[in-house]
Amino acid sequence: MTAEGLETEKKYDVGADAALPDLAAIPGVGRVGEPQDAELEAVYFDTEDLVLASRRITLRRRSGGADAGWHVKLAPEPAAGAGRASEEAPGARREIHAPLGQADVVPGKLLAHLHAYLRGSDPVPVARLNTRRTTHALYGDDGVHLADFADDTVDAELLQGAGQKPAAESAGREQQWREWELELVHGQPEVFAAAAEVLSAAGARPSAHESKLRRALGEAAPKAPGPAEPDGTAATEGGVKQPGGRKPGKKWPASAVVSAYLDGQISEILANDARVRLEEPDAVHAMRSATRRVRSVLAVYRKLYGRGAVGRLRDELKWLGRILGTPRDAEVMLERLRTHTGKLPPGEPADDVKRRIERELGTRLDAGYRKTQEVLLTDRYFRLLDDLEDFRDHPPVRPAASAPARKAARKLVGKPVKRLRRAHKAAALRAKDGAGERPGMELKDATAHETALHQVRKDAKRLRHAAETVDPVFGKRATRLAKAAHKQQKILGDHHDSVMARIFLGKLAGGPDLPEPVAAAYGSLLKREQKNAAKAQTKYRKAHRKSRKLVRRGVG
C-alpha cells in the first residue's frame, strides 16, 4: 500500500555549536511543542550515473522515525503564484511512501514513478545517511500545527555504486554536518518569511544544497538535463532556464522557442508515464495528447532541422500514439455508448445490448492497456524518450533556425493555416456531392464527406498546436487562433467518434439470428448517432463561418 502527499520545506546550514533559536519568537507561533528525538537511517538508491539525482528525484529506504519506509521525492514544483521556487516560498515536492518491505527490492508502485527516468537501468545503493533528529512542532495562536522544525546531525557515507568518477573514487568517504529544516504541516508559505530573521540571528543561512543526498555527493552531484539557452549556455536544474525569469519571446531564435515548447510537452509525457502505468483516469489521453503535440510541431517546423532526425522522431511518435490510441479510443467509445444505452427503454433487449457492448469494448480496452504496459517497458520506448530529450537539448538545426522567432514563425505557421483552408474547401465540395450516411457501414465504405471532415479535424489540430508554440511571440493573436482551431477540432472530434460508433454498432447489429427487439435497440442507437453526427456538422459549419477571417489572417 502506498501513500503520498506534498512536502514543502526549507533547509538551513548551521554550525555544529549553534544554539537552538527561540522558536516561540517567530511571528505567528503561539506555542512550541516538546522536543521529539529520533534516530534515522536512510539508504539512497540511484543508477550508477545518478540519473535520478540529475532530475532532482530521490529514492530512499529509511528506518526509524514516524514515516519509516520507502520514499520517492519527485522534483520540486514551483511555489503557488510564482514562476519558480524562491527563498520565501520554496517549491513543494510530491512524495510517495511505501512500506519498508525488503531492503534491496524497490516496491513496484514506486518504480512506476521512476521507469521513465531509469529507462531500463536498475537502481543501486549510492549513499547511507544516519541522522540524529530533534523535532519541535510549531503551533499558531489558534492551535493549528503550522510546521515542524528539525535539528539534524547527519553522518553520510558514499557507497560503491555512487556514480562514475570522481564519485566512485570517493566510495567509503564519510562526512558529518548539522542542518536545520523547517517543514510546513498546515501552515502557509508565509511561515518561512516569518522565521527568517529568528533563524538568521541564530547563525542559520539558507542551505547551499537542495537535499542531504546532493550534499553527500558533493562535486559528483550531476547537473540536470535541459535545453540550451538562446546564447548557447546550458540550462540549469529544473529544465529551461529563462534569463531573468522571462518567457521565450520574439527576440529569441525560432529554434529556442520550439525547444521551450517541446520541453513542456516532454515534461507532460514523462509526468503521465507513471499515471498510465498506474492506470489513473485520463492519463492515456494526456500522454497521447502531448505525443501528438510534439509530432505536430516537428511537422510544422521541420525545415529548421535536419530532415532525418525529424523524420525518425515523427515515425516513432506515430508508433507510440497508435499504441496509446487503442485503449483511449475504446475508453472514449465505451463512455459514449454507456450514456446512449442508458437512454434505451428498460428491459431485456436493452440489457442484452449493454452486455454485448461492455464485453466487446471492455476486452478491447483491457487488451490495449496490457499492450501499452508492455510497450512502456521496451528499449524502443526508452530510446524514444532519449531521442526526444537529445533533440530538445541538442537540436540538429539548420541556418534558418537562427532567424528571429517572429519572422520564421509567421511563415511556418502560415502553412498549417493554408492546409486548413484547403481542407475546408475540400469538405465543402464533398458535401455538395450529396454523400449520404449509411448505418452500419464499414470503415472502408465511409463516405467521402466524412473522410474530408476527418482531414479538417487533423489539420485544425495541427494549426492549434502550431499556434500554441508561438503564443509567447504573438500573444493574443496566437491564442485566438489556437482557440478557433481547437473549437473546430473538438466539434469534428465528436463527429468522428459518432462515425466510429456507428461502424462498431453496425457490426454488432449485423450478427446472425439477432432477435428483433435487440435489433431494434441497435437501430435506435444508430439513429441517435446519425443525429449526433448531423448536429456536429451544423456546429462545425457555424464555427467555420465565425473563424474564417481569423484563420485567413493566421498570426501575421
Side-chain angles (χ1 to χ4, degrees):
M1 182 178 180
T2 59
E4 63 178 87
L6 288 178
E7 174 195 75
T8 306
E9 66 178 15
K10 186 170 172 57
K11 296 180 180 293
Y12 303 85
D13 292 333
V14 65
D17 299 326
L20 195 70
D22 181 6
L23 300 173
I26 297 174
V29 173
R31 180 172 65 87
V32 179
E34 291 296 318
Q36 302 293 323
D37 296 326
E39 295 280 342
L40 312 175
E41 180 185 70
V43 176
Y44 286 78
F45 290 74
D46 207 329
T47 63
E48 292 186 353
D49 51 354
L50 302 175
V51 163
L52 298 181
S54 75
R55 296 176 182 274
R56 307 170 79 189
I57 298 171
T58 57
L59 168 64
R60 73 184 180 201
R61 183 181 185 270
R62 187 164 77 182
S63 56
D67 62 346
W70 286 90
H71 303 163
V72 164
K73 291 185 180 182
L74 302 179
E77 301 174 357
R84 64 184 68 182
S86 66
E87 288 188 4
E88 292 75 19
R93 300 186 73 178
R94 186 181 174 199
E95 186 171 0
I96 304 103
H97 293 191
L100 278 170
Q102 299 182 52
D104 57 350
V105 179
V106 183
K109 287 193 175 180
L110 295 194
L111 276 177
H113 292 275
L114 304 176
H115 281 305
Y117 309 104
L118 295 172
R119 300 179 189 174
S121 297
D122 294 323
V124 297
V126 295
R128 179 181 291 108
L129 275 63
N130 291 291
T131 302
R132 296 183 297 281
R133 168 170 290 181
T134 300
T135 304
H136 300 261
L138 307 183
Y139 298 92
D141 294 326
D142 54 1
V144 173
H145 189 176
L146 300 176
D148 284 332
F149 175 86
D151 182 5
D152 290 348
T153 299
V154 184
D155 291 291
E157 177 189 6
L158 291 185
L159 303 177
Q160 193 63 43
Q164 300 171 340
K165 293 182 179 181
E169 296 174 351
S170 302
R173 178 168 59 89
E174 296 182 359
Q175 305 172 62
Q176 185 179 85
W177 69 86
R178 187 182 177 201
E179 68 180 37
W180 291 342
E181 288 183 3
L182 186 61
E183 180 178 352
L184 296 184
V185 180
H186 299 299
Q188 297 301 311
E190 289 77 10
V191 170
F192 296 109
E197 184 175 346
V198 171
L199 299 181
S200 177
R205 59 193 182 279
S207 179
H209 304 89
E210 182 181 76
S211 67
K212 288 181 172 67
L213 175 61
R214 294 191 77 86
R215 181 164 185 169
L217 291 172
E219 294 181 359
K223 294 181 179 180
E229 288 295 336
D231 60 4
T233 59
T236 58
E237 290 184 354
V240 185
K241 173 179 173 289
Q242 297 161 358
R246 291 185 294 108
K247 293 181 178 180
K250 58 186 177 183
K251 292 185 179 180
W252 282 32
S255 61
V257 175
V258 176
S259 290
Y261 183 81
L262 290 179
D263 183 60
Q265 300 312 312
I266 292 169
S267 295
E268 280 292 303
I269 292 172
L270 296 177
N272 282 289
D273 176 280
R275 298 184 61 236
V276 171
R277 294 178 194 275
L278 296 172
E279 299 188 14
E280 294 183 8
D282 208 42
V284 170
H285 173 59
M287 188 173 181
R288 185 189 187 195
S289 294
T291 300
R292 283 176 162 176
R293 279 182 164 89
V294 175
R295 189 162 173 256
S296 291
V297 168
L298 290 176
V300 172
Y301 293 95
R302 62 188 180 278
K303 290 192 174 181
L304 300 182
Y305 306 98
R307 181 178 299 178
V310 170
R312 286 191 297 273
L313 270 181
R314 293 193 69 227
D315 287 345
E316 290 301 279
L317 288 165
K318 184 177 182 180
W319 161 74
L320 179 59
R322 187 167 60 247
I323 296 296
L324 295 168
T326 299
R328 174 57 183 170
D329 291 345
E331 189 176 52
V332 168
M333 189 179 297
L334 185 56
E335 182 179 347
R336 181 186 188 92
L337 294 182
R338 278 174 176 168
T339 299
H340 295 340
T341 55
K343 298 177 182 179
L344 291 173
E348 183 57 32
D351 292 341
D352 186 278
V353 169
K354 292 176 185 177
R355 284 193 297 269
R356 182 77 182 277
I357 289 173
E358 290 283 343
R359 182 171 63 252
E360 294 291 332
L361 291 178
T363 299
R364 191 182 300 181
L365 180 61
D366 291 343
Y369 259 111
R370 284 196 302 273
K371 179 64 175 178
T372 299
Q373 300 283 10
E374 293 170 2
V375 164
L376 294 188
L377 288 172
T378 62
D379 290 341
R380 182 177 181 180
Y381 170 65
F382 293 142
R383 279 197 303 271
L384 172 57
L385 297 182
D386 287 339
D387 291 344
L388 284 171
E389 291 183 329
D390 186 60
F391 188 96
R392 176 200 64 192
D393 301 344
H394 310 287
V397 293
R398 291 178 171 177
S402 61
R406 192 175 184 88
K407 180 180 179 181
R410 181 183 289 113
K411 180 178 180 181
L412 293 173
V413 176
K415 291 186 177 181
V417 168
K418 292 177 182 177
R419 282 176 61 104
L420 181 57
R421 284 161 53 189
R422 288 196 298 268
H424 282 311
K425 290 180 181 178
L429 288 173
R430 295 299 186 187
K432 290 179 180 178
D433 289 342
E437 297 181 353
R438 303 186 302 281
M441 63 186 174
E442 296 289 341
L443 181 58
K444 63 183 179 181
D445 297 325
T447 68
H449 184 217
E450 287 168 336
T451 301
L453 287 177
H454 186 46
Q455 186 61 48
V456 173
R457 177 196 175 212
K458 292 193 292 185
D459 289 336
K461 186 185 301 181
R462 177 177 291 193
L463 175 56
R464 172 196 171 193
H465 297 160
E468 288 173 349
T469 65
V470 294
D471 183 80
V473 180
F474 293 98
K476 291 182 180 179
R477 191 180 300 174
T479 300
R480 288 195 295 267
L481 182 60
K483 285 183 177 179
H486 183 210
K487 186 172 183 179
Q488 294 182 44
Q489 172 200 333
K490 188 174 181 180
I491 292 169
L492 291 177
D494 184 61
H495 179 271
H496 182 66
D497 289 344
S498 179
V499 171
M500 300 310 294
R502 279 181 285 148
I503 293 171
F504 174 74
L505 291 170
K507 290 180 179 179
L508 297 186
D513 303 323
L514 203 65
E516 180 59 33
V518 175
Y522 280 120
S524 176
L525 293 176
L526 285 164
K527 287 179 181 178
R528 183 181 295 277
E529 288 294 359
Q530 283 181 290
K531 290 180 180 179
N532 288 336
K535 288 179 181 178
Q537 289 191 39
T538 301
K539 288 181 180 179
Y540 155 67
R541 288 191 291 269
K542 183 177 180 181
H544 172 52
R545 285 195 300 270
K546 284 188 174 182
S547 66
R548 189 179 302 165
K549 184 176 180 180
L550 181 63
V551 171
R552 187 182 300 119
R553 284 186 61 192
V555 294

